[in-house]
Amino acid sequence: MHVTLNEPVERVAIIGCGGSGKTTVGRRIADALGTSITHLDAVYYDDEWNKLPQDKFAQLQHDLVAADRWVIDGNYAGTLPIRLHRATHVVFLDLPATTCLWGILQRRWRYRGGQHADGVYDTINWGFIKYVWGYRKSMAPRVRALLAEHGADARILIAKSRRQANRIADELERAAR
């Protein structure tokens, strides 16, 4: 798969299931753009995993996407249109559940749980595992519908495997430099 990018890479929304590699892909692209990555989990949750009120969460995203350059990783379908309206590129990591669960286990092993240095709080519970397992059936169709409805001005790049995700990241890195 070769991605041809004609438009400048400036604002990238990265979406996908937990464990799909959003942070890894996002870091690569952010480095190439000379910006930092924003993890929506770190915006939405505090140190004790308490949620931000929905209206405040939406307003913070409006503030984030107003910048000229950004990379934002996170699913949050309820506020996805905010990111889609300003994104130049969207990377949708639509990977199999087993791949995502393996990614979660690797992350858990690497960080030993708790809050990561970049603000992402790593928690695994039965509800999260069920969410990951059912993501492609329940959430991915909703994401595709939101992409179709709100992502018309962005270049949509979909990866169905880690290999495709790496190729997309390679292309976006080259285009951003």
Side-chain angles (χ1 to χ4, degrees), residues 1-63:
M1 177 184 87
H2 179 70
V3 179
T4 303
L5 301 173
N6 297 325
E7 55 283 319
V9 178
E10 295 173 335
R11 296 177 299 279
V12 183
I14 303 172
I15 51 181
C17 187
S20 63
K22 294 183 301 291
T23 299
T24 301
V25 169
R27 279 188 191 130
R28 290 179 58 189
I29 298 165
D31 287 347
L33 283 172
T35 190
S36 59
I37 182 172
T38 299
H39 306 282
L40 288 182
D41 281 347
V43 174
Y44 190 58
Y45 295 103
D46 67 15
D47 299 9
E48 297 170 7
W49 211 237
N50 297 306
K51 298 175 182 177
L52 200 61
Q54 199 63 28
D55 58 336
K56 189 170 183 180
F57 183 53
Q59 184 55 53
L60 286 172
Q61 286 184 70
H62 281 292
D63 296 344

Short mmCIF file of all heavy atoms in Angstrom, two decimals, residues 1-63:
data_model
loop_
_atom_site.label_atom_id
_atom_site.label_comp_id
_atom_site.label_asym_id
_atom_site.label_seq_id
_atom_site.Cartn_x
_atom_site.Cartn_y
_atom_site.Cartn_z
N MET A 1 0.84 -1.17 0.00
CA MET A 1 0.00 0.00 0.00
C MET A 1 0.89 1.23 0.00
O MET A 1 1.72 1.41 0.87
CB MET A 1 -0.89 -0.01 1.24
CG MET A 1 -1.76 1.21 1.36
SD MET A 1 -2.69 1.24 2.88
CE MET A 1 -1.52 2.01 3.96
N HIS A 2 0.71 2.09 -0.97
CA HIS A 2 1.45 3.34 -1.04
C HIS A 2 0.46 4.48 -0.96
O HIS A 2 -0.54 4.50 -1.66
CB HIS A 2 2.25 3.42 -2.35
CG HIS A 2 2.99 4.71 -2.48
ND1 HIS A 2 4.07 5.00 -1.71
CD2 HIS A 2 2.79 5.78 -3.29
CE1 HIS A 2 4.53 6.20 -2.04
NE2 HIS A 2 3.76 6.69 -2.99
N VAL A 3 0.71 5.41 -0.08
CA VAL A 3 -0.17 6.55 0.13
C VAL A 3 0.41 7.75 -0.60
O VAL A 3 1.57 8.09 -0.40
CB VAL A 3 -0.30 6.87 1.65
CG1 VAL A 3 -1.20 8.06 1.86
CG2 VAL A 3 -0.80 5.67 2.41
N THR A 4 -0.38 8.38 -1.45
CA THR A 4 0.06 9.59 -2.12
C THR A 4 -0.55 10.78 -1.41
O THR A 4 -1.77 10.87 -1.27
CB THR A 4 -0.38 9.59 -3.59
OG1 THR A 4 0.14 8.41 -4.20
CG2 THR A 4 0.14 10.81 -4.31
N LEU A 5 0.30 11.67 -0.95
CA LEU A 5 -0.17 12.82 -0.20
C LEU A 5 0.13 14.08 -1.00
O LEU A 5 1.28 14.44 -1.20
CB LEU A 5 0.52 12.89 1.16
CG LEU A 5 0.31 11.68 2.06
CD1 LEU A 5 1.17 11.76 3.29
CD2 LEU A 5 -1.14 11.56 2.45
N ASN A 6 -0.91 14.76 -1.45
CA ASN A 6 -0.74 15.99 -2.21
C ASN A 6 -0.87 17.21 -1.32
O ASN A 6 -0.31 18.25 -1.63
CB ASN A 6 -1.78 16.05 -3.34
CG ASN A 6 -1.58 14.93 -4.33
OD1 ASN A 6 -0.45 14.53 -4.59
ND2 ASN A 6 -2.67 14.41 -4.86
N GLU A 7 -1.63 17.12 -0.27
CA GLU A 7 -1.86 18.26 0.59
C GLU A 7 -0.87 18.25 1.76
O GLU A 7 -0.41 17.20 2.17
CB GLU A 7 -3.30 18.28 1.09
CG GLU A 7 -3.77 17.03 1.79
CD GLU A 7 -4.11 15.86 0.87
OE1 GLU A 7 -4.72 16.07 -0.18
OE2 GLU A 7 -3.74 14.73 1.22
N PRO A 8 -0.53 19.43 2.28
CA PRO A 8 0.41 19.48 3.42
C PRO A 8 -0.16 18.79 4.65
O PRO A 8 -1.36 18.86 4.92
CB PRO A 8 0.57 20.98 3.69
CG PRO A 8 -0.14 21.71 2.63
CD PRO A 8 -0.98 20.74 1.86
N VAL A 9 0.71 18.14 5.38
CA VAL A 9 0.34 17.49 6.63
C VAL A 9 0.49 18.54 7.73
O VAL A 9 1.60 18.99 8.01
CB VAL A 9 1.23 16.27 6.92
CG1 VAL A 9 0.87 15.63 8.25
CG2 VAL A 9 1.14 15.26 5.79
N GLU A 10 -0.63 18.95 8.30
CA GLU A 10 -0.58 19.99 9.33
C GLU A 10 -1.35 19.63 10.59
O GLU A 10 -0.91 19.93 11.69
CB GLU A 10 -1.14 21.31 8.77
CG GLU A 10 -0.30 21.87 7.65
CD GLU A 10 -0.93 23.06 6.98
OE1 GLU A 10 -2.18 23.20 7.02
OE2 GLU A 10 -0.19 23.87 6.40
N ARG A 11 -2.51 19.02 10.42
CA ARG A 11 -3.37 18.71 11.56
C ARG A 11 -3.87 17.27 11.39
O ARG A 11 -4.62 16.98 10.47
CB ARG A 11 -4.54 19.70 11.62
CG ARG A 11 -4.07 21.14 11.87
CD ARG A 11 -5.20 22.14 11.86
NE ARG A 11 -5.90 22.20 10.58
CZ ARG A 11 -5.49 22.88 9.51
NH1 ARG A 11 -4.36 23.55 9.55
NH2 ARG A 11 -6.20 22.90 8.39
N VAL A 12 -3.42 16.41 12.30
CA VAL A 12 -3.68 14.98 12.15
C VAL A 12 -4.46 14.44 13.35
O VAL A 12 -4.03 14.56 14.50
CB VAL A 12 -2.36 14.19 12.00
CG1 VAL A 12 -2.64 12.71 11.78
CG2 VAL A 12 -1.50 14.77 10.88
N ALA A 13 -5.61 13.86 13.07
CA ALA A 13 -6.41 13.17 14.07
C ALA A 13 -6.15 11.67 13.93
O ALA A 13 -6.24 11.13 12.83
CB ALA A 13 -7.90 13.46 13.87
N ILE A 14 -5.81 11.04 15.03
CA ILE A 14 -5.55 9.61 15.01
C ILE A 14 -6.60 8.95 15.89
O ILE A 14 -6.75 9.28 17.06
CB ILE A 14 -4.14 9.29 15.51
CG1 ILE A 14 -3.13 10.05 14.64
CG2 ILE A 14 -3.88 7.79 15.49
CD1 ILE A 14 -1.73 9.99 15.12
N ILE A 15 -7.34 8.03 15.28
CA ILE A 15 -8.44 7.37 15.98
C ILE A 15 -8.29 5.86 15.85
O ILE A 15 -7.65 5.37 14.92
CB ILE A 15 -9.81 7.83 15.45
CG1 ILE A 15 -9.88 7.71 13.93
CG2 ILE A 15 -10.09 9.26 15.88
CD1 ILE A 15 -11.19 8.17 13.33
N GLY A 16 -8.89 5.15 16.76
CA GLY A 16 -8.85 3.69 16.73
C GLY A 16 -9.06 3.15 18.12
O GLY A 16 -9.08 3.87 19.12
N CYS A 17 -9.19 1.87 18.18
CA CYS A 17 -9.42 1.15 19.42
C CYS A 17 -8.22 1.27 20.36
O CYS A 17 -7.09 1.50 19.91
CB CYS A 17 -9.66 -0.32 19.07
SG CYS A 17 -10.17 -1.32 20.46
N GLY A 18 -8.46 1.11 21.65
CA GLY A 18 -7.37 1.02 22.59
C GLY A 18 -6.42 -0.11 22.17
O GLY A 18 -6.87 -1.16 21.76
N GLY A 19 -5.12 0.14 22.26
CA GLY A 19 -4.13 -0.87 21.90
C GLY A 19 -3.84 -0.95 20.42
O GLY A 19 -3.02 -1.76 19.98
N SER A 20 -4.47 -0.09 19.61
CA SER A 20 -4.26 -0.15 18.15
C SER A 20 -2.96 0.53 17.71
O SER A 20 -2.52 0.32 16.59
CB SER A 20 -5.44 0.49 17.41
OG SER A 20 -5.55 1.86 17.72
N GLY A 21 -2.36 1.33 18.58
CA GLY A 21 -1.11 1.98 18.24
C GLY A 21 -1.24 3.47 17.96
O GLY A 21 -0.36 4.06 17.34
N LYS A 22 -2.32 4.08 18.41
CA LYS A 22 -2.54 5.51 18.16
C LYS A 22 -1.37 6.35 18.67
O LYS A 22 -0.88 7.24 17.97
CB LYS A 22 -3.83 5.98 18.83
CG LYS A 22 -5.10 5.38 18.27
CD LYS A 22 -6.35 5.93 18.93
CE LYS A 22 -6.44 5.74 20.41
NZ LYS A 22 -6.64 4.35 20.85
N THR A 23 -0.92 6.08 19.87
CA THR A 23 0.15 6.88 20.46
C THR A 23 1.46 6.70 19.70
O THR A 23 2.16 7.67 19.43
CB THR A 23 0.31 6.52 21.95
OG1 THR A 23 -0.91 6.83 22.63
CG2 THR A 23 1.45 7.29 22.58
N THR A 24 1.78 5.49 19.33
CA THR A 24 3.02 5.23 18.61
C THR A 24 3.03 5.94 17.26
O THR A 24 4.00 6.64 16.92
CB THR A 24 3.20 3.71 18.41
OG1 THR A 24 3.24 3.08 19.69
CG2 THR A 24 4.47 3.40 17.65
N VAL A 25 1.96 5.80 16.50
CA VAL A 25 1.86 6.47 15.21
C VAL A 25 1.86 7.98 15.41
O VAL A 25 2.54 8.73 14.70
CB VAL A 25 0.60 6.00 14.44
CG1 VAL A 25 0.33 6.86 13.22
CG2 VAL A 25 0.73 4.53 14.04
N GLY A 26 1.10 8.43 16.39
CA GLY A 26 1.00 9.87 16.66
C GLY A 26 2.32 10.51 17.03
O GLY A 26 2.63 11.61 16.58
N ARG A 27 3.11 9.83 17.84
CA ARG A 27 4.43 10.37 18.22
C ARG A 27 5.32 10.56 16.99
O ARG A 27 6.01 11.56 16.88
CB ARG A 27 5.12 9.42 19.20
CG ARG A 27 4.67 9.57 20.60
CD ARG A 27 5.56 8.74 21.52
NE ARG A 27 4.95 8.68 22.84
CZ ARG A 27 4.76 7.57 23.51
NH1 ARG A 27 5.11 6.41 23.03
NH2 ARG A 27 4.21 7.60 24.70
N ARG A 28 5.31 9.58 16.12
CA ARG A 28 6.14 9.67 14.91
C ARG A 28 5.74 10.88 14.07
O ARG A 28 6.59 11.63 13.61
CB ARG A 28 6.01 8.39 14.09
CG ARG A 28 6.66 7.18 14.74
CD ARG A 28 6.50 5.94 13.90
NE ARG A 28 7.06 6.12 12.57
CZ ARG A 28 6.89 5.25 11.58
NH1 ARG A 28 6.18 4.16 11.77
NH2 ARG A 28 7.44 5.47 10.41
N ILE A 29 4.45 11.06 13.88
CA ILE A 29 3.97 12.16 13.05
C ILE A 29 4.23 13.50 13.74
O ILE A 29 4.67 14.47 13.11
CB ILE A 29 2.48 11.97 12.71
CG1 ILE A 29 2.30 10.68 11.89
CG2 ILE A 29 1.93 13.18 11.96
CD1 ILE A 29 0.86 10.20 11.80
N ALA A 30 3.97 13.57 15.04
CA ALA A 30 4.21 14.81 15.79
C ALA A 30 5.68 15.21 15.72
O ALA A 30 6.00 16.39 15.53
CB ALA A 30 3.76 14.65 17.24
N ASP A 31 6.58 14.24 15.87
CA ASP A 31 8.01 14.53 15.77
C ASP A 31 8.36 15.12 14.40
O ASP A 31 9.11 16.08 14.30
CB ASP A 31 8.85 13.28 16.03
CG ASP A 31 8.87 12.87 17.49
OD1 ASP A 31 8.44 13.68 18.35
OD2 ASP A 31 9.29 11.74 17.78
N ALA A 32 7.80 14.52 13.35
CA ALA A 32 8.08 15.00 12.00
C ALA A 32 7.52 16.41 11.78
O ALA A 32 8.11 17.22 11.06
CB ALA A 32 7.50 14.04 10.96
N LEU A 33 6.40 16.71 12.42
CA LEU A 33 5.79 18.04 12.30
C LEU A 33 6.44 19.07 13.22
O LEU A 33 6.17 20.27 13.10
CB LEU A 33 4.29 17.98 12.63
CG LEU A 33 3.37 17.41 11.57
CD1 LEU A 33 1.96 17.23 12.11
CD2 LEU A 33 3.35 18.33 10.35
N GLY A 34 7.27 18.60 14.14
CA GLY A 34 7.88 19.51 15.10
C GLY A 34 6.90 20.03 16.13
O GLY A 34 7.01 21.15 16.61
N THR A 35 5.94 19.19 16.49
CA THR A 35 4.94 19.56 17.48
C THR A 35 4.81 18.42 18.48
O THR A 35 5.44 17.39 18.35
CB THR A 35 3.58 19.89 16.80
OG1 THR A 35 2.71 20.47 17.76
CG2 THR A 35 2.94 18.66 16.19
N SER A 36 3.98 18.64 19.48
CA SER A 36 3.75 17.57 20.45
C SER A 36 2.43 16.87 20.11
O SER A 36 1.63 17.39 19.35
CB SER A 36 3.70 18.14 21.87
OG SER A 36 2.69 19.10 21.97
N ILE A 37 2.27 15.73 20.70
CA ILE A 37 1.03 14.97 20.52
C ILE A 37 0.13 15.23 21.74
O ILE A 37 0.62 15.34 22.86
CB ILE A 37 1.31 13.46 20.35
CG1 ILE A 37 0.02 12.69 20.11
CG2 ILE A 37 2.09 12.91 21.51
CD1 ILE A 37 0.23 11.22 19.75
N THR A 38 -1.15 15.35 21.48
CA THR A 38 -2.13 15.48 22.56
C THR A 38 -2.88 14.17 22.66
O THR A 38 -3.45 13.70 21.69
CB THR A 38 -3.13 16.62 22.29
OG1 THR A 38 -2.41 17.84 22.19
CG2 THR A 38 -4.16 16.72 23.40
N HIS A 39 -2.87 13.59 23.85
CA HIS A 39 -3.60 12.35 24.13
C HIS A 39 -4.93 12.74 24.77
O HIS A 39 -4.94 13.31 25.87
CB HIS A 39 -2.82 11.46 25.08
CG HIS A 39 -1.43 11.17 24.63
ND1 HIS A 39 -1.15 10.26 23.66
CD2 HIS A 39 -0.25 11.70 25.03
CE1 HIS A 39 0.16 10.23 23.47
NE2 HIS A 39 0.72 11.08 24.29
N LEU A 40 -6.02 12.45 24.09
CA LEU A 40 -7.31 12.83 24.64
C LEU A 40 -7.62 12.15 25.97
O LEU A 40 -8.34 12.72 26.79
CB LEU A 40 -8.42 12.58 23.62
CG LEU A 40 -8.44 13.55 22.45
CD1 LEU A 40 -9.61 13.23 21.52
CD2 LEU A 40 -8.49 15.00 22.90
N ASP A 41 -7.06 10.97 26.21
CA ASP A 41 -7.25 10.34 27.52
C ASP A 41 -6.70 11.24 28.63
O ASP A 41 -7.30 11.36 29.69
CB ASP A 41 -6.56 8.97 27.59
CG ASP A 41 -7.34 7.87 26.90
OD1 ASP A 41 -8.52 8.08 26.57
OD2 ASP A 41 -6.75 6.79 26.70
N ALA A 42 -5.55 11.87 28.37
CA ALA A 42 -4.94 12.75 29.37
C ALA A 42 -5.73 14.04 29.56
O ALA A 42 -5.65 14.67 30.61
CB ALA A 42 -3.50 13.06 28.98
N VAL A 43 -6.50 14.42 28.55
CA VAL A 43 -7.35 15.60 28.65
C VAL A 43 -8.65 15.24 29.37
O VAL A 43 -9.12 15.98 30.23
CB VAL A 43 -7.66 16.17 27.24
CG1 VAL A 43 -8.67 17.30 27.31
CG2 VAL A 43 -6.38 16.62 26.55
N TYR A 44 -9.22 14.09 29.04
CA TYR A 44 -10.53 13.69 29.54
C TYR A 44 -10.51 13.18 30.98
O TYR A 44 -11.45 13.37 31.73
CB TYR A 44 -11.11 12.62 28.61
CG TYR A 44 -12.55 12.27 28.86
CD1 TYR A 44 -13.56 13.24 28.79
CD2 TYR A 44 -12.92 10.96 29.13
CE1 TYR A 44 -14.89 12.91 29.00
CE2 TYR A 44 -14.26 10.63 29.33
CZ TYR A 44 -15.23 11.61 29.27
OH TYR A 44 -16.53 11.28 29.48
N TYR A 45 -9.43 12.51 31.36
CA TYR A 45 -9.34 11.91 32.70
C TYR A 45 -8.28 12.61 33.54
O TYR A 45 -7.24 13.01 33.02
CB TYR A 45 -8.96 10.42 32.60
CG TYR A 45 -10.00 9.57 31.93
CD1 TYR A 45 -9.83 9.15 30.62
CD2 TYR A 45 -11.14 9.17 32.61
CE1 TYR A 45 -10.79 8.34 30.00
CE2 TYR A 45 -12.09 8.37 32.00
CZ TYR A 45 -11.91 7.96 30.70
OH TYR A 45 -12.84 7.17 30.09
N ASP A 46 -8.52 12.68 34.84
CA ASP A 46 -7.49 13.19 35.73
C ASP A 46 -6.67 12.03 36.27
O ASP A 46 -6.84 10.88 35.84
CB ASP A 46 -8.10 14.05 36.84
CG ASP A 46 -8.97 13.27 37.83
OD1 ASP A 46 -8.92 12.02 37.85
OD2 ASP A 46 -9.71 13.93 38.58
N ASP A 47 -5.78 12.32 37.22
CA ASP A 47 -4.88 11.30 37.77
C ASP A 47 -5.61 10.13 38.41
O ASP A 47 -5.06 9.05 38.53
CB ASP A 47 -3.98 11.90 38.85
CG ASP A 47 -3.10 13.01 38.34
OD1 ASP A 47 -3.29 13.44 37.19
OD2 ASP A 47 -2.22 13.45 39.08
N GLU A 48 -6.83 10.37 38.85
CA GLU A 48 -7.60 9.32 39.52
C GLU A 48 -8.68 8.73 38.63
O GLU A 48 -9.61 8.09 39.10
CB GLU A 48 -8.19 9.88 40.81
CG GLU A 48 -7.11 10.30 41.79
CD GLU A 48 -7.64 11.07 42.98
OE1 GLU A 48 -8.88 11.19 43.12
OE2 GLU A 48 -6.82 11.55 43.76
N TRP A 49 -8.57 9.00 37.33
CA TRP A 49 -9.45 8.43 36.32
C TRP A 49 -10.87 8.99 36.42
O TRP A 49 -11.85 8.36 36.04
CB TRP A 49 -9.45 6.90 36.43
CG TRP A 49 -9.67 6.17 35.15
CD1 TRP A 49 -10.67 5.26 34.92
CD2 TRP A 49 -8.94 6.23 33.93
NE1 TRP A 49 -10.59 4.78 33.64
CE2 TRP A 49 -9.53 5.35 33.01
CE3 TRP A 49 -7.83 6.96 33.52
CZ2 TRP A 49 -9.07 5.17 31.71
CZ3 TRP A 49 -7.36 6.78 32.23
CH2 TRP A 49 -7.98 5.90 31.34
N ASN A 50 -10.99 10.24 36.91
CA ASN A 50 -12.27 10.94 36.93
C ASN A 50 -12.45 11.64 35.60
O ASN A 50 -11.50 12.23 35.06
CB ASN A 50 -12.31 11.97 38.07
CG ASN A 50 -12.21 11.31 39.42
OD1 ASN A 50 -12.97 10.41 39.73
ND2 ASN A 50 -11.25 11.74 40.21
N LYS A 51 -13.68 11.62 35.08
CA LYS A 51 -13.97 12.20 33.77
C LYS A 51 -14.22 13.70 33.86
O LYS A 51 -14.81 14.18 34.84
CB LYS A 51 -15.19 11.53 33.15
CG LYS A 51 -15.02 10.07 32.90
CD LYS A 51 -16.31 9.44 32.42
CE LYS A 51 -16.14 7.94 32.22
NZ LYS A 51 -17.39 7.30 31.83
N LEU A 52 -13.82 14.39 32.83
CA LEU A 52 -14.12 15.81 32.68
C LEU A 52 -15.57 15.96 32.22
O LEU A 52 -16.06 15.11 31.47
CB LEU A 52 -13.18 16.36 31.60
CG LEU A 52 -12.90 17.84 31.51
CD1 LEU A 52 -12.24 18.34 32.79
CD2 LEU A 52 -11.97 18.11 30.33
N PRO A 53 -16.26 17.01 32.64
CA PRO A 53 -17.62 17.22 32.10
C PRO A 53 -17.58 17.34 30.57
O PRO A 53 -16.64 17.92 30.01
CB PRO A 53 -18.06 18.54 32.75
CG PRO A 53 -17.20 18.67 33.97
CD PRO A 53 -15.89 18.01 33.62
N GLN A 54 -18.56 16.80 29.91
CA GLN A 54 -18.58 16.72 28.44
C GLN A 54 -18.44 18.08 27.77
O GLN A 54 -17.72 18.21 26.79
CB GLN A 54 -19.87 16.02 27.98
CG GLN A 54 -19.80 15.49 26.57
CD GLN A 54 -18.75 14.41 26.38
OE1 GLN A 54 -18.39 13.68 27.29
NE2 GLN A 54 -18.22 14.31 25.18
N ASP A 55 -19.11 19.11 28.30
CA ASP A 55 -19.03 20.43 27.67
C ASP A 55 -17.62 21.03 27.79
O ASP A 55 -17.12 21.64 26.86
CB ASP A 55 -20.08 21.39 28.25
CG ASP A 55 -19.96 21.59 29.76
OD1 ASP A 55 -19.42 20.71 30.46
OD2 ASP A 55 -20.43 22.64 30.23
N LYS A 56 -16.97 20.80 28.92
CA LYS A 56 -15.59 21.28 29.10
C LYS A 56 -14.63 20.51 28.19
O LYS A 56 -13.72 21.09 27.60
CB LYS A 56 -15.18 21.16 30.56
CG LYS A 56 -13.86 21.83 30.85
CD LYS A 56 -13.58 21.91 32.33
CE LYS A 56 -12.27 22.65 32.54
NZ LYS A 56 -11.93 22.78 33.95
N PHE A 57 -14.85 19.20 28.07
CA PHE A 57 -14.03 18.37 27.19
C PHE A 57 -14.15 18.85 25.75
O PHE A 57 -13.16 19.00 25.04
CB PHE A 57 -14.46 16.91 27.33
CG PHE A 57 -13.64 15.93 26.53
CD1 PHE A 57 -12.26 15.89 26.62
CD2 PHE A 57 -14.28 15.01 25.70
CE1 PHE A 57 -11.52 14.97 25.90
CE2 PHE A 57 -13.55 14.08 24.98
CZ PHE A 57 -12.17 14.06 25.08
N ALA A 58 -15.36 19.13 25.31
CA ALA A 58 -15.57 19.63 23.94
C ALA A 58 -14.90 20.99 23.75
O ALA A 58 -14.25 21.22 22.73
CB ALA A 58 -17.07 19.73 23.64
N GLN A 59 -15.02 21.88 24.72
CA GLN A 59 -14.41 23.21 24.59
C GLN A 59 -12.88 23.11 24.51
O GLN A 59 -12.25 23.81 23.72
CB GLN A 59 -14.81 24.11 25.76
CG GLN A 59 -14.27 25.53 25.62
CD GLN A 59 -14.67 26.18 24.31
OE1 GLN A 59 -15.84 26.22 23.95
NE2 GLN A 59 -13.69 26.67 23.54
N LEU A 60 -12.29 22.24 25.32
CA LEU A 60 -10.84 22.05 25.26
C LEU A 60 -10.41 21.56 23.88
O LEU A 60 -9.37 21.98 23.36
CB LEU A 60 -10.38 21.08 26.35
CG LEU A 60 -10.38 21.65 27.77
CD1 LEU A 60 -10.11 20.55 28.78
CD2 LEU A 60 -9.37 22.77 27.90
N GLN A 61 -11.22 20.70 23.26
CA GLN A 61 -10.88 20.23 21.92
C GLN A 61 -11.01 21.35 20.89
O GLN A 61 -10.17 21.45 19.98
CB GLN A 61 -11.74 19.03 21.53
CG GLN A 61 -11.31 17.78 22.25
CD GLN A 61 -12.10 16.59 21.80
OE1 GLN A 61 -11.94 16.14 20.67
NE2 GLN A 61 -12.95 16.09 22.67
N HIS A 62 -12.02 22.19 21.02
CA HIS A 62 -12.13 23.35 20.13
C HIS A 62 -10.87 24.21 20.24
O HIS A 62 -10.35 24.70 19.23
CB HIS A 62 -13.38 24.18 20.46
CG HIS A 62 -14.64 23.62 19.92
ND1 HIS A 62 -14.92 23.57 18.57
CD2 HIS A 62 -15.71 23.06 20.54
CE1 HIS A 62 -16.11 23.02 18.38
NE2 HIS A 62 -16.61 22.69 19.56
N ASP A 63 -10.38 24.40 21.45
CA ASP A 63 -9.16 25.18 21.66
C ASP A 63 -7.95 24.49 21.03
O ASP A 63 -7.12 25.14 20.39
CB ASP A 63 -8.91 25.39 23.16
CG ASP A 63 -9.99 26.22 23.84
OD1 ASP A 63 -10.77 26.90 23.13
OD2 ASP A 63 -10.06 26.17 25.08
#
